[in-house]
Amino acid sequence: MPSAHRNDDGGLRPTEEPPSSDSGSNAGPLAGRRAIVTGGASGIGAACARELAAQGAYVVVADRDAEGAGVVAKEIKGEAWAVDLLDTAALEELSLDADILVNNAGIQVVQPIEQFDPADFRRIHTLMLEVPFLLMRAALPSMYAKGFGRIINVSSVHGLRASPFKAAYVSAKHGLEGLSKVAALEGGPHGVTSNCVNPGYVRTPLVENQIADQARLHGISEDEVLERIMLTESAVKRLVEPAEVGSLVAWLASGQAGMVTGASYTMDGGWSAR
């Protein structure tokens, strides 16, 4: 696996230790904390990586896009971890040294159930439910040993509400919500919190692709998709900005959020208030 090595216990972890706190690169409330952000090369993941780094954390940017991860890591003086998260066999042997784990990597396929490719269904569930489980499993021993940990799962309003044509995504996010709550109950006695962040539609390449898919499925323009489909349930009629999600993730990673666990924080413009 690229950018990883074996620990004494035989597990794998991203290379490099964070710079020492007196290096001048880790000033802020998260100074001395090591964060791992999956899907960190772009979109929400990149925004989370930037905000965590701005708060002082040393951030490992994990993504299959090695070049993109490297660009973000260089910008924030962190580390790129080029990893194929769908290689779950490798993740089963992983040991991670992390104080903060942000499970963000995700994909989307939009199709009616009767036309949904079973391979796509399995791939989405693997990446968005099984992989977070495996990464939690890899990171929790280190967190427990330190008496501190923050697991932050980037879920979605679709972890709380359903939409047509998104059987795999909706069911995976609902599963992630349950997994996050179990981790909260198990981690609480060890100083580890686990929470979900539930944005509505965020201005990312993934959503831009969804807009195009919905336009095709419904036979309407992309502007009409936003007006008539995506934002109809939202009281605030705009897309969420990635930096807004990053700011909430960084707060959940902070010491101020030590009593916040097992929760789902909506950032959906009022969609789930209906």
Side-chain angles (χ1 to χ4, degrees):
M1 181 183 298
S3 301
H5 69 77
R6 292 199 174 274
N7 285 334
D8 292 340
D9 62 4
L12 293 169
R13 59 178 297 277
T15 57
E16 300 183 21
E17 292 300 322
S20 62
S21 59
D22 61 0
S23 68
S25 62
N26 276 39
L30 295 179
R33 300 298 186 191
R34 182 183 181 91
I36 298 174
V37 180
T38 68
S42 64
I44 293 173
C48 292
R50 291 186 180 105
E51 186 59 29
L52 290 168
Q55 297 297 320
Y58 180 81
V59 182
V60 177
V61 182
D63 205 291
R64 68 177 181 178
D65 176 3
E67 182 178 357
V71 169
V72 175
K74 183 177 180 181
E75 173 193 337
I76 64 175
K77 297 181 172 61
E79 173 187 343
W81 180 21
V83 57
D84 179 5
L85 293 173
L86 289 173
D87 182 6
T88 55
L91 299 184
E92 290 177 11
E93 302 302 321
L94 199 66
S95 295
L96 292 176
D97 177 11
D99 304 291
I100 301 160
L101 172 63
V102 181
N103 287 309
N104 166 73
I107 53 178
Q108 176 65 285
V109 173
V110 179
Q111 285 289 348
I113 291 173
E114 71 276 12
Q115 298 176 20
F116 215 104
D117 186 336
D120 285 336
F121 189 93
R122 287 189 290 269
R123 184 164 53 100
I124 288 173
H125 272 247
T126 296
L127 182 61
M128 293 165 47
L129 182 54
E130 183 180 357
V131 166
F133 157 73
L134 291 171
L135 294 180
M136 288 182 196
R137 180 175 178 270
L140 281 173
S142 172
M143 292 179 177
Y144 287 174
K146 298 173 186 176
F148 177 92
R150 297 287 187 264
I151 296 170
I152 303 162
N153 299 301
V154 179
S155 180
S156 166
V157 66
H158 283 116
L160 307 171
R161 299 288 187 272
S163 288
F165 310 124
K166 298 179 180 179
Y169 189 92
V170 169
S171 56
K173 291 298 190 184
H174 273 66
L176 183 63
E177 296 282 327
L179 174 63
S180 184
K181 289 177 171 63
V182 172
L185 296 177
E186 294 185 9
H190 303 279
V192 176
T193 66
S194 176
N195 294 285
C196 287
V197 173
N198 301 71
Y201 290 106
V202 184
R203 193 185 304 279
T204 65
L206 180 66
V207 166
E208 290 171 354
N209 289 336
Q210 285 186 57
I211 293 171
D213 286 344
Q214 291 279 9
R216 174 180 51 79
L217 281 168
H218 294 278
I220 59 178
S221 71
E222 293 188 6
D223 285 342
E224 287 177 299
V225 169
L226 281 173
E227 295 171 8
R228 293 169 48 186
I229 298 174
M230 287 189 163
L231 300 180
T232 55
E233 302 299 325
S234 177
V236 181
K237 302 296 185 182
R238 68 169 176 84
L239 297 175
V240 183
E241 297 299 331
E244 293 177 299
V245 183
S247 69
L248 179 53
V249 167
W251 179 76
L252 287 170
S254 72
Q256 294 177 319
M259 282 297 290
V260 178
T261 195
S264 299
Y265 274 73
T266 58
M267 186 179 277
D268 59 13
W271 180 344
S272 56
R274 295 181 182 273

